[in-house]
Amino acid sequence: MGEELAVQKGHPLAQPMLAFHEHHRHFGIGNMIRLDPHIQQPLRKKTEDALVVFIVLRQVDLPLRTIQNINQFAEDHTELSTRVMLVPDSAMILTDKLPKNAPVRDQLLDISNVAGQLSGSIQFLNAAEALSSHADEYIYYKTDHHWTSLGAYYAFTAFTGQMGIASPASSYDIYTVTDSFEGTLSSKSGSHKTTDTIQIYEAKQQDSYYVTYSDSTDRVCSIYKSAALETKDKYTVFFGGNHPKVEINTTADNERVLLLFKDSYANSFVQFL
């Protein structure tokens, strides 16, 4: 269902499973950011300080296998509450950044179709609604296809109740860890006229925890990897990038476990869980 598995033990969530996907993961990021040469110039002229990835109109089957797998998981584990969050990319939310008449795929329709195919026992979390009211804020990177920590924060706060979080953190220390991030859109388009800022959020009051990775023997006390800030892909400051399985153990005094099937969009979302 996703490219990674994250397990968080001793977590305050009331129920333990959330499938988390960015919308365009299923449509191929390489195809989306290969801009038509006749469209590329108006796009840059329209958005002098940002690059926006948009999905061209083409016939693409919805991720049926993923939906079937989620439904099967929910059927096999009726003792669990299953939730799915599908996150749109910036082309859907930041429509004012697109060139006039850009052939943008209807992500609202895609999201609606996916939600309609999920089992009735699965709770669907509509991140598009949570993000749309903040479209004038810095919720997506200008040079990368991911959302920012602020975007992830707005989605988190919109769904704390639905996710069963009774007492979410109410205050955070926010640190700007770099202001020179150039992401996938810069690399693919060749445009390097602007850079992004990456921020990390740390709750002022939180349980201690440690992180282990299935592809490493290391046990660390943070989800952040400061060494990533010295590399090109500074977004990997979250978890050091993608791993087959990540396990987070906390000192929370409960027996709850959160199972998270995710892709890289959720790397910056986990800091709020």
Side-chain angles (χ1 to χ4, degrees):
M1 280 181 286
E3 59 189 40
E4 294 184 59
L5 175 68
V7 181
Q8 190 162 349
K9 298 182 178 179
H11 191 275
L13 284 185
Q15 302 294 343
M17 192 272 180
L18 172 70
F20 187 111
H21 285 283
E22 60 185 292
H23 171 270
H24 60 226
R25 173 66 61 189
H26 301 293
F27 301 97
I29 185 65
N31 288 333
M32 290 188 298
I33 54 183
R34 188 171 59 246
L35 304 179
D36 185 301
H38 300 293
I39 297 177
Q40 189 168 2
Q41 278 305 115
L43 175 62
R44 290 181 179 176
K45 182 178 181 181
K46 175 78 173 179
T47 60
E48 295 178 354
D49 65 340
L51 296 168
V52 178
V53 55
F54 59 91
I55 306 173
V56 298
L57 294 173
R58 53 194 173 91
Q59 291 295 322
V60 183
D61 292 333
L62 288 174
L64 182 59
R65 179 183 296 181
T66 297
I67 296 170
Q68 291 174 337
N69 287 341
I70 294 173
N71 286 338
Q72 188 63 54
F73 183 96
E75 181 180 337
D76 293 342
H77 300 280
T78 56
E79 75 281 9
L80 308 180
S81 289
T82 303
R83 301 173 179 88
V84 173
M85 182 185 293
L86 192 61
V87 182
D89 64 25
S90 59
M92 175 182 165
I93 304 299
L94 309 182
T95 54
D96 62 317
K97 299 293 185 180
L98 293 172
K100 186 178 181 179
N101 300 320
V104 182
R105 186 178 178 88
D106 189 345
Q107 294 185 46
L108 274 177
L109 178 60
D110 288 337
I111 291 172
S112 177
N113 286 340
V114 170
Q117 295 178 72
L118 293 173
S119 166
S121 65
I122 297 173
Q123 186 175 21
F124 184 74
L125 307 179
N126 191 343
E129 293 180 354
L131 294 170
S132 293
S133 60
H134 299 282
D136 60 342
E137 300 178 56
Y138 188 42
I139 57 174
Y140 290 95
Y141 293 114
K142 296 175 290 185
T143 69
D144 192 70
H145 63 283
H146 292 102
W147 59 1
T148 63
S149 291
L150 181 62
Y153 169 76
Y154 283 137
F156 170 74
T157 55
F159 299 123
T160 52
Q162 290 172 268
M163 290 190 295
I165 302 177
S167 301
S170 57
S171 59
Y172 295 86
D173 290 318
I174 304 173
Y175 302 98
T176 298
V177 293
T178 183
D179 59 4
S180 59
F181 173 44
E182 293 186 55
T184 54
L185 303 185
S186 284
S187 298
K188 294 288 185 177
S189 69
S191 176
H192 301 280
K193 295 181 179 180
T194 189
T195 58
D196 276 299
T197 295
I198 296 178
Q199 293 183 319
I200 62 174
Y201 285 56
E202 290 191 344
K204 291 184 181 294
Q205 294 184 339
Q206 65 176 349
D207 295 306
S208 299
Y209 67 91
Y210 66 87
V211 186
T212 55
Y213 300 93
S214 63
D215 52 358
S216 171
T217 58
D218 294 338
R219 175 182 292 186
V220 295
C221 296
S222 176
I223 66 170
Y224 306 113
K225 297 279 190 177
S226 59
L229 300 174
E230 304 302 321
T231 69
K232 175 174 172 51
D233 189 3
K234 293 176 172 55
Y235 183 76
T236 59
V237 67
F238 302 104
F239 290 101
N242 298 324
H243 305 271
K245 179 182 176 182
V246 179
E247 186 168 326
I248 303 173
N249 287 269
T250 80
T251 57
D253 186 20
N254 60 56
E255 299 297 323
R256 296 169 180 169
V257 177
L258 170 68
L259 176 64
L260 178 66
F261 294 91
K262 70 180 188 65
D263 55 26
S264 59
Y265 249 55
N267 287 357
S268 60
F269 185 81
V270 172
Q271 63 186 318
F272 302 108
L273 294 176

